[in-house]
Amino acid sequence: MAVAEPPRRPIRELPAQLANQIAAGEVVERPASIVKELLENALDAGARHIDVALERGGIDLIRVRDDGGGIPPGELALALRRHATSKLASSAELMRIETLGFRGEALPSIASVARVDVVSAVANGDAAQLPPGHDTPLPAAHPPGTTVSVRDLFYNLPARRRFLRTEKTEYQHADEVLRRLALARFDIGFSWSHNGRRVQQLPPAADTTVREQRLARLCGPGFVEAALRLDFPAGDLRLSGWAALPTFSRAATDLQHWYVNGRLVRDKLLAHAVRLAYQDVLYHGRHPAYVLYLELPPDQVDVNVHPAKAEVRFRDSRSVHDFVRRCLREVIGGGSRAGAPRQDPAAQAPTAPPPAPAPVRLWAADAPRLDTGRIAEQRAAYGRLVQDAAEAAPVAVVDPPPDDQPLGRPLAQLMGIYILAQNSRGLVLVDMHAAHERITFERLRAAHAGGAIVGQPLLVPLTLPVSAAELATVEQHAALWPTLGFDLAVLGPDTLAVREVPALLAGGDAAALVRDVLAELREHGHSSRVQAHIDALLTGMACHGSVRAGRQLSLAEMDALLRDMERTERSGQCGHGRPTWVELSLAELDRLFLRGR
């Protein structure tokens, strides 16, 4: 049976209203999208305080009032026309955007799916109002600034209105946007209400104390207590903000906030850099918490790559990725060292990858360096890294412990598992196996970092079918493969030969490893997959080579372990992300026994 051809329609220009409604499909997903666009306009206008009122989650009403520069009466009608903006004048400015908005699509798109009322006034000028459906502004009374009221979202698109969620859900999305934007600009006051009830009143935060008060209200006091402040300027780049200790990990990514030049973004490259910085200190399935700000010249980042401006593209993505990873790793390494106090922001960012940690004395004996030229000796050397300190001098318990020993002095061993120690604040409990595992792992990694990743030839080369895109990635990064321990050869348009793999991973799935590295190279321009596999192997070796539960330690051995923990970076967690020690202050112990009541 023949299929009837659909009737041909002539090509024609879309009516302005329909074009705006199509654009609104990208800009206006739900009330929270409107809140974000209007707040960004207020910030671009130089507002010092912004007030937001919502009704029924923003479905019935969104009102945003600011005290910014305002809109002259003669330009008010133009503000609701598509592609009309005061933020760009030439294509050259498009390559160095310094404002949050720039397309001139938000207001006309919103006006095409809701009833929009705009009232505005400039300093020492007249105020004007543009009610819904009007093309000519009317005289009004209004202080300098702008008030935009959006009512009855999707009133003219019943199908889209049915896709909105409940009032509670829509309000939660809008509240999340408000919280995120309030974290973007501490110098601006924010307030918002829902159904007539005041939710937040945030004054401008000029100093660090007031900023952390806002941070506590928006992210919770637990985040502030666990957060490490950082400030790393390096050339044109600057990374600042707060990164929480690994012990404050989350089950979800709800406390991950990135801002690039003040713009709220969700960027895969930046998220990947953070994951690498935390990769060996987080428990499986947990996520780090942070509020981070990246500043760089506007011409080094393209913000015009996403309909909702939620993603960016960096001109030198590799440098940005490495800079973020190194800075965070340095902060986390110092902040998660056992007994380390919280540090003030660093004065200067590292300009090169940090050196391998200095060899620590594992119990009493120094470990040999690895011979990177011979695989058998290399593996044997790993096994000799863990040694005892039987001849160590006896340690006397000091009361009170010295201030330079934050983990204090050992008192006893509990059930062959935990070390009990006393410091100047109270009682310290140490999981001796987890602690020794981290020390051993850092020693193994430092020893392995002494030379390049060693490759081991395969007895029979592995033939791997690949796509044209994967083959192009192999050729594009030809110089990188030897540094990762691989020897690859192109056999044909869709075939790759793997002749050599990293020695420590020779027993694994070489095909899967190569594909994983290729996938990361295509997405991020570089790969840490090999190092991640090596770290996983070293973690297992450290776990098996560390002191086991049930072993009785002398006071000298316990003291040696505590001192090693204080010298070792990231010793607050073992290689699997479990905590290695906890502290009970004297006040907490008093509460347990109801003292002072």
Side-chain angles (χ1 to χ4, degrees):
M1 182 177 178
V3 179
E5 294 185 2
R8 183 186 178 279
R9 294 185 178 184
I11 299 174
R12 54 178 175 266
E13 186 176 357
L14 294 175
Q17 175 72 3
L18 179 57
N20 285 334
Q21 288 179 341
I22 293 173
E26 297 180 340
V27 177
V28 183
E29 178 185 0
R30 59 192 340 144
S33 308
I34 298 177
V35 171
K36 177 178 180 291
E37 295 291 344
L38 296 183
L39 258 68
E40 289 181 347
N41 280 345
L43 293 172
D44 286 339
R48 307 307 304 169
H49 184 86
I50 303 174
D51 180 75
V52 181
L54 304 173
E55 292 183 7
R56 288 194 62 237
I59 299 173
D60 285 359
L61 171 67
I62 302 170
R63 179 182 291 118
V64 177
R65 178 177 303 220
D66 68 65
D67 58 356
I71 305 173
E75 300 176 10
L76 198 56
L78 190 61
L80 267 71
R81 294 183 189 174
R82 197 175 181 202
H83 302 314
T85 180
S86 62
K87 302 168 186 178
L88 288 179
S90 66
S91 57
E93 293 180 5
L94 186 62
M95 303 312 297
R96 45 177 301 108
I97 296 173
E98 299 185 27
T99 56
L100 300 177
F102 52 88
R103 293 177 181 149
E105 290 183 334
L107 281 177
S109 297
I110 296 169
S112 70
V113 295
R115 307 182 198 275
V116 176
D117 180 277
V118 183
V119 189
S120 188
V122 296
N124 303 318
D126 295 331
Q129 178 180 11
L130 192 65
H134 285 63
D135 295 328
T136 304
L138 305 176
H142 193 277
T146 303
T147 298
V148 181
S149 301
V150 180
R151 299 180 183 273
D152 302 330
L153 179 60
F154 298 139
Y155 76 96
N156 54 351
L157 295 173
R160 290 203 64 186
R161 191 177 178 94
R162 286 194 293 269
F163 275 90
L164 293 176
R165 303 303 181 185
T166 64
E167 173 185 335
K168 179 180 179 181
T169 300
E170 295 300 343
Y171 170 69
Q172 288 174 343
H173 284 282
D175 183 71
E176 179 66 16
V177 168
L178 287 162
R179 289 173 179 271
R180 287 176 177 266
L181 287 173
L183 290 171
R185 295 288 300 272
F186 286 92
D187 59 324
I188 295 176
F190 288 85
S191 59
W192 61 91
S193 61
H194 184 227
N195 293 338
R197 183 181 64 86
R198 180 66 65 189
V199 178
Q200 289 285 359
Q201 183 81 38
L202 305 173
D207 55 60
T208 301
T209 301
V210 183
R211 289 188 175 199
E212 291 195 350
Q213 289 174 356
R214 177 183 290 194
L215 196 66
R217 293 179 66 176
L218 299 178
C219 299
F223 174 78
V224 177
E225 292 174 4
L228 301 167
R229 288 197 298 120
L230 59 142
D231 191 355
F232 285 95
D236 290 335
L237 300 176
R238 179 179 181 180
L239 180 68
S240 60
W242 295 266
L245 290 168
T247 49
F248 189 78
S249 61
R250 312 278 290 181
T253 59
D254 57 330
L255 262 181
Q256 296 184 354
H257 305 299
W258 263 113
Y259 302 89
V260 176
N261 289 347
R263 181 185 304 277
L264 170 63
V265 299
R266 292 183 179 274
D267 188 81
K268 294 180 180 178
L269 179 96
L270 297 177
H272 184 262
V274 175
R275 284 200 306 273
L276 288 185
Y278 277 91
Q279 69 178 354
D280 62 344
V281 291
L282 279 183
Y283 194 66
H284 304 296
R286 305 292 292 181
H287 301 275
Y290 52 82
V291 179
L292 295 173
Y293 306 86
L294 179 65
E295 299 173 37
L296 69 168
D299 58 357
Q300 297 298 311
V301 57
D302 186 2
V303 301
N304 189 26
V305 296
H306 189 270
K309 297 168 290 185
E311 298 178 4
V312 294
R313 181 184 296 122
F314 299 101
R315 175 174 292 184
D316 189 353
S317 58
R318 177 68 179 271
S319 295
V320 171
H321 182 280
D322 290 348
F323 171 70
V324 171
R325 178 185 58 82
R326 291 200 308 270
C327 293
L328 284 176
R329 193 163 183 84
E330 179 174 313
V331 171
I332 297 165
S336 62
R337 181 184 292 114
R342 290 177 58 188
Q343 301 282 335
D344 283 334
Q348 186 172 358
T351 55
V360 297
R361 294 184 65 84
L362 197 56
W363 304 96
D366 285 325
R369 297 294 296 176
L370 296 182
D371 179 1
T372 58
R374 302 180 63 181
I375 304 306
E377 292 184 10
Q378 187 182 63
R379 289 183 179 274
Y382 283 135
R384 295 196 300 269
L385 283 171
V386 182
Q387 300 186 25
D388 294 333
E391 64 273 10
V395 178
V397 176
V398 178
D399 186 20
D403 292 335
D404 61 349
Q405 296 180 352
L407 290 182
R409 290 290 193 178
L411 301 174
Q413 191 176 11
L414 179 64
M415 306 296 289
I417 301 174
Y418 301 104
I419 295 173
L420 279 64
Q422 174 188 340
N423 66 6
S424 58
R425 296 178 295 275
L427 179 67
V428 175
L429 296 172
V430 177
D431 182 335
M432 65 182 195
H433 171 73
H436 196 196
E437 180 183 324
R438 167 56 70 177
I439 296 170
T440 307
F441 171 75
E442 292 295 338
R443 187 66 177 277
L444 288 169
R445 184 159 62 177
H448 180 267
I453 297 176
V454 179
Q456 177 172 318
L458 297 177
L459 187 61
V460 178
L462 174 67
T463 302
L464 188 66
V466 292
S467 65
E470 289 175 324
L471 201 63
T473 304
V474 171
E475 295 174 339
Q476 180 182 355
H477 299 276
L480 176 65
W481 296 101
T483 67
L484 298 178
F486 287 101
D487 181 7
L488 306 181
V490 177
L491 299 183
D494 57 357
T495 307
L496 190 67
V498 182
R499 297 172 176 170
E500 188 173 294
V501 296
L504 290 177
L505 307 175
D509 188 342
L513 179 59
V514 171
R515 291 193 184 280
D516 286 346
V517 174
L518 282 171
E520 281 199 337
L521 287 174
R522 292 181 62 189
E523 183 173 359
H524 303 292
H526 64 285
S527 175
S528 61
R529 185 68 62 172
V530 172
Q531 190 59 51
H533 279 273
I534 290 176
D535 284 350
L537 178 64
L538 297 182
T539 298
M541 295 171 65
C543 181
H544 291 292
S546 299
V547 60
R548 313 301 294 182
R551 174 179 167 182
Q552 297 300 315
L553 303 180
S554 67
L555 283 178
E557 291 174 318
M558 287 187 275
D559 187 75
L561 179 59
L562 297 180
R563 304 291 78 79
D564 277 342
M565 290 177 66
E566 292 166 349
R567 291 191 294 266
T568 302
E569 289 190 349
R570 292 174 287 276
S571 59
Q573 293 78 34
C574 74
H576 302 92
R578 295 189 297 110
T580 60
W581 68 286
V582 295
E583 179 183 284
L584 291 174
S585 67
L586 191 59
E588 290 174 304
L589 292 171
D590 286 343
R591 281 197 297 270
L592 290 176
F593 292 95
L594 306 180
R595 289 178 61 87
R597 296 191 181 182

